[in-house]
Amino acid sequence: MELQALQYPIGKWVPQETHTWEEIQEKIALLKTIPAKYKEVSTELSEEDLLKQYREGSWSVRQIIHHVADMHVLYFVRFKHALTEVNSEAVVGKVDAWANLEEAKTAPIDFSLTLLAGTHQRWTYLLEQMTEEDFQKGFYHPTRKMYMTLKDAVDIGVWHSQHHLAHIKIALGVAQS
């Protein structure tokens, strides 16, 4: 598999021009399924499996699981900020530095699977309470150097979930579905 395909197995995230209300509802439904998908792919993994990488020099399966949990906490916080503050700026983290902390390299994945499940319960509950007008709100993302509506943020949240799930499957040699 070529490097680009390994880095972006589902393609790079590209903002859509528009998002219908039905598409937003579909994204919320997908977000609800993410914790179970991560739990399913990581059930019964050995320590050796958790150290596997999807490409040379990439994060391990363990680091990816911790990264997704970390980032989805940030996604939830970004929504809270955007809904309650004017001119909100996305809370960002130094993802490579976080993934290389000893904690991210050694902590049991159950910690992050539990965090991911709880975060997604709260996040999707929040999303279901939002109006179409709420989804027009947004934040400035300093890393991406763009203003993102909450419609875009839901879309990238789903993409991020699927992107890293694909990385884990590549690392484990699991067929992509």
Side-chain angles (χ1 to χ4, degrees):
M1 199 178 250
E2 69 178 62
L3 181 61
Q4 181 81 0
L6 288 172
Q7 286 180 304
Y8 299 100
I10 65 167
K12 289 185 177 185
W13 179 74
V14 178
Q16 292 179 217
E17 284 291 315
T18 60
H19 301 267
T20 67
W21 186 245
E22 292 75 27
E23 287 171 332
I24 292 169
Q25 298 308 307
E26 289 170 12
K27 301 286 182 189
I28 295 168
L30 280 170
L31 284 174
K32 285 183 171 185
T33 69
I34 295 303
K37 289 180 180 179
Y38 274 79
K39 188 158 184 79
E40 180 184 331
V41 78
S42 62
T43 300
E44 309 274 331
L45 294 183
S46 67
E47 282 298 314
E48 183 180 308
D49 290 333
L50 292 172
L51 294 173
K52 290 180 178 176
Q53 300 171 307
Y54 58 94
R55 66 177 169 82
E56 178 85 25
S58 73
W59 294 338
S60 68
V61 168
R62 181 191 315 268
Q63 288 169 298
I64 294 168
I65 291 169
H66 292 317
H67 164 74
V68 171
D70 290 346
M71 291 307 300
H72 289 213
V73 168
L74 288 183
Y75 288 179
F76 177 61
V77 169
R78 289 171 185 170
F79 272 77
K80 294 273 208 162
H81 279 229
L83 290 167
T84 61
E85 299 175 13
V86 177
N87 298 322
S88 176
E89 186 169 301
V91 178
V92 295
K94 296 182 182 211
V95 295
D96 285 323
W98 288 12
N100 285 306
L101 290 171
E102 195 61 24
E103 166 267 340
K105 292 179 179 179
T106 61
I109 60 169
D110 285 347
F111 295 173
S112 284
L113 293 172
T114 300
L115 182 60
L116 189 64
T119 300
H120 275 245
Q121 286 174 323
R122 286 284 308 279
W123 186 18
T124 57
Y125 187 81
L126 173 68
L127 294 171
E128 290 174 333
Q129 308 307 307
M130 291 170 56
T131 65
E132 287 188 65
E133 185 177 278
D134 288 332
F135 280 96
Q136 297 301 326
K137 296 176 183 178
F139 53 83
Y140 178 75
H141 195 295
T143 305
R144 292 186 177 274
K145 300 193 182 330
M146 67 180 285
Y147 181 83
M148 296 181 80
T149 66
L150 295 181
K151 289 179 178 184
D152 289 329
V154 167
D155 189 46
I156 200 170
V158 170
W159 174 87
H160 186 259
S161 303
Q162 295 171 335
H163 168 72
H164 286 302
L165 191 60
H167 283 153
I168 292 169
K169 288 179 178 182
I170 291 168
L172 298 173
V174 175
Q176 300 290 324
S177 53

PDB file of all heavy atoms in Angstrom, residues 84-115:
ATOM      1  N   THR A  84     -21.739  28.681  23.342  1.00  0.00           N
ATOM      2  CA  THR A  84     -21.881  29.607  24.474  1.00  0.00           C
ATOM      3  C   THR A  84     -20.998  30.842  24.402  1.00  0.00           C
ATOM      4  O   THR A  84     -21.100  31.705  25.263  1.00  0.00           O
ATOM      5  CB  THR A  84     -21.592  28.871  25.799  1.00  0.00           C
ATOM      6  OG1 THR A  84     -20.247  28.369  25.778  1.00  0.00           O
ATOM      7  CG2 THR A  84     -22.576  27.733  26.026  1.00  0.00           C
ATOM      8  N   GLU A  85     -20.142  30.937  23.397  1.00  0.00           N
ATOM      9  CA  GLU A  85     -19.223  32.065  23.282  1.00  0.00           C
ATOM     10  C   GLU A  85     -19.285  32.650  21.876  1.00  0.00           C
ATOM     11  O   GLU A  85     -19.465  31.929  20.911  1.00  0.00           O
ATOM     12  CB  GLU A  85     -17.781  31.627  23.561  1.00  0.00           C
ATOM     13  CG  GLU A  85     -17.565  31.069  24.942  1.00  0.00           C
ATOM     14  CD  GLU A  85     -16.154  30.528  25.145  1.00  0.00           C
ATOM     15  OE1 GLU A  85     -15.271  30.806  24.303  1.00  0.00           O
ATOM     16  OE2 GLU A  85     -15.962  29.817  26.135  1.00  0.00           O
ATOM     17  N   VAL A  86     -19.094  33.941  21.791  1.00  0.00           N
ATOM     18  CA  VAL A  86     -18.994  34.612  20.499  1.00  0.00           C
ATOM     19  C   VAL A  86     -17.526  34.592  20.089  1.00  0.00           C
ATOM     20  O   VAL A  86     -16.632  34.754  20.918  1.00  0.00           O
ATOM     21  CB  VAL A  86     -19.510  36.067  20.610  1.00  0.00           C
ATOM     22  CG1 VAL A  86     -19.357  36.811  19.295  1.00  0.00           C
ATOM     23  CG2 VAL A  86     -20.955  36.068  21.077  1.00  0.00           C
ATOM     24  N   ASN A  87     -17.267  34.378  18.812  1.00  0.00           N
ATOM     25  CA  ASN A  87     -15.895  34.325  18.282  1.00  0.00           C
ATOM     26  C   ASN A  87     -15.042  33.283  18.993  1.00  0.00           C
ATOM     27  O   ASN A  87     -13.903  33.539  19.370  1.00  0.00           O
ATOM     28  CB  ASN A  87     -15.229  35.700  18.350  1.00  0.00           C
ATOM     29  CG  ASN A  87     -15.950  36.723  17.526  1.00  0.00           C
ATOM     30  OD1 ASN A  87     -16.451  36.425  16.438  1.00  0.00           O
ATOM     31  ND2 ASN A  87     -16.056  37.940  18.038  1.00  0.00           N
ATOM     32  N   SER A  88     -15.582  32.117  19.144  1.00  0.00           N
ATOM     33  CA  SER A  88     -14.889  31.020  19.811  1.00  0.00           C
ATOM     34  C   SER A  88     -13.695  30.554  18.976  1.00  0.00           C
ATOM     35  O   SER A  88     -13.736  30.587  17.750  1.00  0.00           O
ATOM     36  CB  SER A  88     -15.875  29.872  20.012  1.00  0.00           C
ATOM     37  OG  SER A  88     -15.251  28.759  20.568  1.00  0.00           O
ATOM     38  N   GLU A  89     -12.663  30.132  19.665  1.00  0.00           N
ATOM     39  CA  GLU A  89     -11.508  29.544  18.995  1.00  0.00           C
ATOM     40  C   GLU A  89     -11.382  28.105  19.487  1.00  0.00           C
ATOM     41  O   GLU A  89     -11.533  27.840  20.681  1.00  0.00           O
ATOM     42  CB  GLU A  89     -10.222  30.318  19.305  1.00  0.00           C
ATOM     43  CG  GLU A  89      -9.038  29.826  18.506  1.00  0.00           C
ATOM     44  CD  GLU A  89      -7.834  30.745  18.594  1.00  0.00           C
ATOM     45  OE1 GLU A  89      -7.961  31.920  18.226  1.00  0.00           O
ATOM     46  OE2 GLU A  89      -6.784  30.258  19.024  1.00  0.00           O
ATOM     47  N   ALA A  90     -11.111  27.206  18.581  1.00  0.00           N
ATOM     48  CA  ALA A  90     -11.016  25.783  18.926  1.00  0.00           C
ATOM     49  C   ALA A  90      -9.905  25.537  19.928  1.00  0.00           C
ATOM     50  O   ALA A  90      -8.801  26.071  19.792  1.00  0.00           O
ATOM     51  CB  ALA A  90     -10.764  24.961  17.670  1.00  0.00           C
ATOM     52  N   VAL A  91     -10.216  24.736  20.913  1.00  0.00           N
ATOM     53  CA  VAL A  91      -9.207  24.246  21.828  1.00  0.00           C
ATOM     54  C   VAL A  91      -8.440  23.177  21.052  1.00  0.00           C
ATOM     55  O   VAL A  91      -9.042  22.278  20.466  1.00  0.00           O
ATOM     56  CB  VAL A  91      -9.868  23.614  23.078  1.00  0.00           C
ATOM     57  CG1 VAL A  91      -8.817  23.051  24.017  1.00  0.00           C
ATOM     58  CG2 VAL A  91     -10.767  24.614  23.773  1.00  0.00           C
ATOM     59  N   VAL A  92      -7.136  23.311  20.997  1.00  0.00           N
ATOM     60  CA  VAL A  92      -6.325  22.344  20.262  1.00  0.00           C
ATOM     61  C   VAL A  92      -5.271  21.752  21.193  1.00  0.00           C
ATOM     62  O   VAL A  92      -4.988  22.309  22.251  1.00  0.00           O
ATOM     63  CB  VAL A  92      -5.648  22.958  19.016  1.00  0.00           C
ATOM     64  CG1 VAL A  92      -6.678  23.392  17.995  1.00  0.00           C
ATOM     65  CG2 VAL A  92      -4.760  24.115  19.389  1.00  0.00           C
ATOM     66  N   GLY A  93      -4.738  20.648  20.801  1.00  0.00           N
ATOM     67  CA  GLY A  93      -3.670  20.010  21.556  1.00  0.00           C
ATOM     68  C   GLY A  93      -2.522  19.670  20.625  1.00  0.00           C
ATOM     69  O   GLY A  93      -2.689  19.617  19.409  1.00  0.00           O
ATOM     70  N   LYS A  94      -1.379  19.449  21.194  1.00  0.00           N
ATOM     71  CA  LYS A  94      -0.214  19.035  20.418  1.00  0.00           C
ATOM     72  C   LYS A  94      -0.268  17.510  20.316  1.00  0.00           C
ATOM     73  O   LYS A  94       0.310  16.795  21.132  1.00  0.00           O
ATOM     74  CB  LYS A  94       1.064  19.519  21.093  1.00  0.00           C
ATOM     75  CG  LYS A  94       1.149  21.022  21.126  1.00  0.00           C
ATOM     76  CD  LYS A  94       2.436  21.501  21.749  1.00  0.00           C
ATOM     77  CE  LYS A  94       2.382  23.021  21.757  1.00  0.00           C
ATOM     78  NZ  LYS A  94       3.639  23.644  21.634  1.00  0.00           N
ATOM     79  N   VAL A  95      -1.008  17.058  19.295  1.00  0.00           N
ATOM     80  CA  VAL A  95      -1.371  15.636  19.217  1.00  0.00           C
ATOM     81  C   VAL A  95      -0.163  14.704  19.167  1.00  0.00           C
ATOM     82  O   VAL A  95      -0.188  13.641  19.783  1.00  0.00           O
ATOM     83  CB  VAL A  95      -2.353  15.347  18.060  1.00  0.00           C
ATOM     84  CG1 VAL A  95      -3.675  16.023  18.305  1.00  0.00           C
ATOM     85  CG2 VAL A  95      -1.778  15.743  16.719  1.00  0.00           C
ATOM     86  N   ASP A  96       0.878  15.075  18.460  1.00  0.00           N
ATOM     87  CA  ASP A  96       2.059  14.206  18.413  1.00  0.00           C
ATOM     88  C   ASP A  96       2.724  14.138  19.782  1.00  0.00           C
ATOM     89  O   ASP A  96       3.131  13.054  20.225  1.00  0.00           O
ATOM     90  CB  ASP A  96       3.056  14.682  17.353  1.00  0.00           C
ATOM     91  CG  ASP A  96       2.602  14.370  15.946  1.00  0.00           C
ATOM     92  OD1 ASP A  96       2.001  13.291  15.736  1.00  0.00           O
ATOM     93  OD2 ASP A  96       2.825  15.205  15.048  1.00  0.00           O
ATOM     94  N   ALA A  97       2.823  15.278  20.444  1.00  0.00           N
ATOM     95  CA  ALA A  97       3.422  15.298  21.787  1.00  0.00           C
ATOM     96  C   ALA A  97       2.560  14.504  22.764  1.00  0.00           C
ATOM     97  O   ALA A  97       3.081  13.738  23.585  1.00  0.00           O
ATOM     98  CB  ALA A  97       3.599  16.735  22.268  1.00  0.00           C
ATOM     99  N   TRP A  98       1.236  14.666  22.672  1.00  0.00           N
ATOM    100  CA  TRP A  98       0.345  13.908  23.561  1.00  0.00           C
ATOM    101  C   TRP A  98       0.495  12.412  23.313  1.00  0.00           C
ATOM    102  O   TRP A  98       0.538  11.632  24.260  1.00  0.00           O
ATOM    103  CB  TRP A  98      -1.106  14.318  23.329  1.00  0.00           C
ATOM    104  CG  TRP A  98      -1.489  15.671  23.833  1.00  0.00           C
ATOM    105  CD1 TRP A  98      -0.659  16.671  24.270  1.00  0.00           C
ATOM    106  CD2 TRP A  98      -2.811  16.187  23.946  1.00  0.00           C
ATOM    107  NE1 TRP A  98      -1.393  17.768  24.629  1.00  0.00           N
ATOM    108  CE2 TRP A  98      -2.708  17.500  24.443  1.00  0.00           C
ATOM    109  CE3 TRP A  98      -4.063  15.673  23.651  1.00  0.00           C
ATOM    110  CZ2 TRP A  98      -3.829  18.299  24.675  1.00  0.00           C
ATOM    111  CZ3 TRP A  98      -5.178  16.463  23.878  1.00  0.00           C
ATOM    112  CH2 TRP A  98      -5.061  17.767  24.386  1.00  0.00           C
ATOM    113  N   ALA A  99       0.542  12.011  22.053  1.00  0.00           N
ATOM    114  CA  ALA A  99       0.639  10.587  21.715  1.00  0.00           C
ATOM    115  C   ALA A  99       1.970   9.986  22.149  1.00  0.00           C
ATOM    116  O   ALA A  99       2.077   8.770  22.315  1.00  0.00           O
ATOM    117  CB  ALA A  99       0.441  10.380  20.217  1.00  0.00           C
ATOM    118  N   ASN A 100       2.979  10.832  22.332  1.00  0.00           N
ATOM    119  CA  ASN A 100       4.291  10.336  22.729  1.00  0.00           C
ATOM    120  C   ASN A 100       4.554  10.438  24.223  1.00  0.00           C
ATOM    121  O   ASN A 100       5.650  10.091  24.681  1.00  0.00           O
ATOM    122  CB  ASN A 100       5.385  11.027  21.920  1.00  0.00           C
ATOM    123  CG  ASN A 100       5.433  10.477  20.513  1.00  0.00           C
ATOM    124  OD1 ASN A 100       5.546   9.267  20.317  1.00  0.00           O
ATOM    125  ND2 ASN A 100       5.282  11.341  19.527  1.00  0.00           N
ATOM    126  N   LEU A 101       3.550  10.876  24.991  1.00  0.00           N
ATOM    127  CA  LEU A 101       3.687  10.820  26.444  1.00  0.00           C
ATOM    128  C   LEU A 101       3.702   9.354  26.867  1.00  0.00           C
ATOM    129  O   LEU A 101       3.067   8.504  26.241  1.00  0.00           O
ATOM    130  CB  LEU A 101       2.509  11.535  27.120  1.00  0.00           C
ATOM    131  CG  LEU A 101       2.469  13.051  26.987  1.00  0.00           C
ATOM    132  CD1 LEU A 101       1.139  13.598  27.515  1.00  0.00           C
ATOM    133  CD2 LEU A 101       3.640  13.684  27.748  1.00  0.00           C
ATOM    134  N   GLU A 102       4.419   9.068  27.925  1.00  0.00           N
ATOM    135  CA  GLU A 102       4.490   7.682  28.408  1.00  0.00           C
ATOM    136  C   GLU A 102       3.097   7.131  28.694  1.00  0.00           C
ATOM    137  O   GLU A 102       2.811   5.962  28.441  1.00  0.00           O
ATOM    138  CB  GLU A 102       5.380   7.613  29.661  1.00  0.00           C
ATOM    139  CG  GLU A 102       5.807   6.225  30.034  1.00  0.00           C
ATOM    140  CD  GLU A 102       6.637   5.521  28.955  1.00  0.00           C
ATOM    141  OE1 GLU A 102       7.287   6.174  28.115  1.00  0.00           O
ATOM    142  OE2 GLU A 102       6.614   4.276  28.955  1.00  0.00           O
ATOM    143  N   GLU A 103       2.220   7.973  29.189  1.00  0.00           N
ATOM    144  CA  GLU A 103       0.834   7.576  29.481  1.00  0.00           C
ATOM    145  C   GLU A 103       0.145   7.037  28.236  1.00  0.00           C
ATOM    146  O   GLU A 103      -0.511   6.010  28.272  1.00  0.00           O
ATOM    147  CB  GLU A 103       0.087   8.800  30.051  1.00  0.00           C
ATOM    148  CG  GLU A 103      -1.408   8.694  30.101  1.00  0.00           C
ATOM    149  CD  GLU A 103      -2.092   9.261  28.863  1.00  0.00           C
ATOM    150  OE1 GLU A 103      -1.484  10.068  28.125  1.00  0.00           O
ATOM    151  OE2 GLU A 103      -3.248   8.871  28.616  1.00  0.00           O
ATOM    152  N   ALA A 104       0.318   7.726  27.112  1.00  0.00           N
ATOM    153  CA  ALA A 104      -0.336   7.299  25.865  1.00  0.00           C
ATOM    154  C   ALA A 104       0.297   6.030  25.293  1.00  0.00           C
ATOM    155  O   ALA A 104      -0.345   5.299  24.547  1.00  0.00           O
ATOM    156  CB  ALA A 104      -0.284   8.418  24.835  1.00  0.00           C
ATOM    157  N   LYS A 105       1.524   5.778  25.663  1.00  0.00           N
ATOM    158  CA  LYS A 105       2.219   4.586  25.171  1.00  0.00           C
ATOM    159  C   LYS A 105       1.975   3.353  26.039  1.00  0.00           C
ATOM    160  O   LYS A 105       2.229   2.239  25.592  1.00  0.00           O
ATOM    161  CB  LYS A 105       3.726   4.844  25.116  1.00  0.00           C
ATOM    162  CG  LYS A 105       4.142   5.853  24.063  1.00  0.00           C
ATOM    163  CD  LYS A 105       5.649   6.045  24.120  1.00  0.00           C
ATOM    164  CE  LYS A 105       6.140   7.015  23.092  1.00  0.00           C
ATOM    165  NZ  LYS A 105       7.596   7.207  23.185  1.00  0.00           N
ATOM    166  N   THR A 106       1.491   3.566  27.271  1.00  0.00           N
ATOM    167  CA  THR A 106       1.411   2.431  28.188  1.00  0.00           C
ATOM    168  C   THR A 106       0.055   2.238  28.873  1.00  0.00           C
ATOM    169  O   THR A 106      -0.210   1.149  29.380  1.00  0.00           O
ATOM    170  CB  THR A 106       2.481   2.560  29.291  1.00  0.00           C
ATOM    171  OG1 THR A 106       2.237   3.774  30.034  1.00  0.00           O
ATOM    172  CG2 THR A 106       3.891   2.584  28.711  1.00  0.00           C
ATOM    173  N   ALA A 107      -0.790   3.243  28.929  1.00  0.00           N
ATOM    174  CA  ALA A 107      -2.062   3.118  29.664  1.00  0.00           C
ATOM    175  C   ALA A 107      -2.948   2.055  29.035  1.00  0.00           C
ATOM    176  O   ALA A 107      -2.970   1.893  27.806  1.00  0.00           O
ATOM    177  CB  ALA A 107      -2.796   4.458  29.681  1.00  0.00           C
ATOM    178  N   PRO A 108      -3.694   1.339  29.848  1.00  0.00           N
ATOM    179  CA  PRO A 108      -4.632   0.358  29.302  1.00  0.00           C
ATOM    180  C   PRO A 108      -5.645   1.047  28.377  1.00  0.00           C
ATOM    181  O   PRO A 108      -6.126   2.144  28.683  1.00  0.00           O
ATOM    182  CB  PRO A 108      -5.330  -0.211  30.540  1.00  0.00           C
ATOM    183  CG  PRO A 108      -4.362   0.024  31.662  1.00  0.00           C
ATOM    184  CD  PRO A 108      -3.676   1.321  31.314  1.00  0.00           C
ATOM    185  N   ILE A 109      -5.964   0.408  27.261  1.00  0.00           N
ATOM    186  CA  ILE A 109      -6.898   1.023  26.307  1.00  0.00           C
ATOM    187  C   ILE A 109      -8.303   1.114  26.870  1.00  0.00           C
ATOM    188  O   ILE A 109      -9.091   1.952  26.420  1.00  0.00           O
ATOM    189  CB  ILE A 109      -6.903   0.299  24.939  1.00  0.00           C
ATOM    190  CG1 ILE A 109      -7.322  -1.156  25.079  1.00  0.00           C
ATOM    191  CG2 ILE A 109      -5.555   0.468  24.246  1.00  0.00           C
ATOM    192  CD1 ILE A 109      -7.598  -1.851  23.747  1.00  0.00           C
ATOM    193  N   ASP A 110      -8.631   0.290  27.861  1.00  0.00           N
ATOM    194  CA  ASP A 110      -9.960   0.367  28.466  1.00  0.00           C
ATOM    195  C   ASP A 110     -10.237   1.761  29.033  1.00  0.00           C
ATOM    196  O   ASP A 110     -11.383   2.205  29.026  1.00  0.00           O
ATOM    197  CB  ASP A 110     -10.135  -0.692  29.557  1.00  0.00           C
ATOM    198  CG  ASP A 110     -10.332  -2.077  28.987  1.00  0.00           C
ATOM    199  OD1 ASP A 110     -10.586  -2.207  27.766  1.00  0.00           O
ATOM    200  OD2 ASP A 110     -10.215  -3.051  29.758  1.00  0.00           O
ATOM    201  N   PHE A 111      -9.195   2.433  29.511  1.00  0.00           N
ATOM    202  CA  PHE A 111      -9.382   3.797  30.013  1.00  0.00           C
ATOM    203  C   PHE A 111      -9.967   4.679  28.912  1.00  0.00           C
ATOM    204  O   PHE A 111     -10.925   5.413  29.119  1.00  0.00           O
ATOM    205  CB  PHE A 111      -8.056   4.409  30.472  1.00  0.00           C
ATOM    206  CG  PHE A 111      -7.399   3.768  31.650  1.00  0.00           C
ATOM    207  CD1 PHE A 111      -6.133   4.185  32.030  1.00  0.00           C
ATOM    208  CD2 PHE A 111      -7.999   2.750  32.386  1.00  0.00           C
ATOM    209  CE1 PHE A 111      -5.489   3.623  33.123  1.00  0.00           C
ATOM    210  CE2 PHE A 111      -7.358   2.176  33.479  1.00  0.00           C
ATOM    211  CZ  PHE A 111      -6.099   2.618  33.848  1.00  0.00           C
ATOM    212  N   SER A 112      -9.370   4.609  27.731  1.00  0.00           N
ATOM    213  CA  SER A 112      -9.813   5.466  26.630  1.00  0.00           C
ATOM    214  C   SER A 112     -11.097   4.968  25.980  1.00  0.00           C
ATOM    215  O   SER A 112     -11.895   5.771  25.502  1.00  0.00           O
ATOM    216  CB  SER A 112      -8.704   5.629  25.594  1.00  0.00           C
ATOM    217  OG  SER A 112      -7.728   6.535  26.106  1.00  0.00           O
ATOM    218  N   LEU A 113     -11.320   3.667  25.967  1.00  0.00           N
ATOM    219  CA  LEU A 113     -12.583   3.150  25.429  1.00  0.00           C
ATOM    220  C   LEU A 113     -13.754   3.612  26.297  1.00  0.00           C
ATOM    221  O   LEU A 113     -14.811   3.987  25.784  1.00  0.00           O
ATOM    222  CB  LEU A 113     -12.542   1.631  25.315  1.00  0.00           C
ATOM    223  CG  LEU A 113     -11.554   1.077  24.286  1.00  0.00           C
ATOM    224  CD1 LEU A 113     -11.457  -0.443  24.401  1.00  0.00           C
ATOM    225  CD2 LEU A 113     -11.915   1.494  22.866  1.00  0.00           C
ATOM    226  N   THR A 114     -13.547   3.633  27.611  1.00  0.00           N
ATOM    227  CA  THR A 114     -14.572   4.131  28.538  1.00  0.00           C
ATOM    228  C   THR A 114     -14.780   5.629  28.339  1.00  0.00           C
ATOM    229  O   THR A 114     -15.916   6.110  28.283  1.00  0.00           O
ATOM    230  CB  THR A 114     -14.173   3.819  29.992  1.00  0.00           C
ATOM    231  OG1 THR A 114     -14.056   2.407  30.144  1.00  0.00           O
ATOM    232  CG2 THR A 114     -15.187   4.371  30.981  1.00  0.00           C
ATOM    233  N   LEU A 115     -13.677   6.361  28.209  1.00  0.00           N
ATOM    234  CA  LEU A 115     -13.755   7.810  27.981  1.00  0.00           C
ATOM    235  C   LEU A 115     -14.466   8.116  26.665  1.00  0.00           C
ATOM    236  O   LEU A 115     -15.332   9.000  26.605  1.00  0.00           O
ATOM    237  CB  LEU A 115     -12.342   8.407  27.974  1.00  0.00           C
ATOM    238  CG  LEU A 115     -12.217   9.912  27.805  1.00  0.00           C
ATOM    239  CD1 LEU A 115     -12.924  10.665  28.929  1.00  0.00           C
ATOM    240  CD2 LEU A 115     -10.737  10.295  27.761  1.00  0.00           C
TER     241      LEU A 115
END
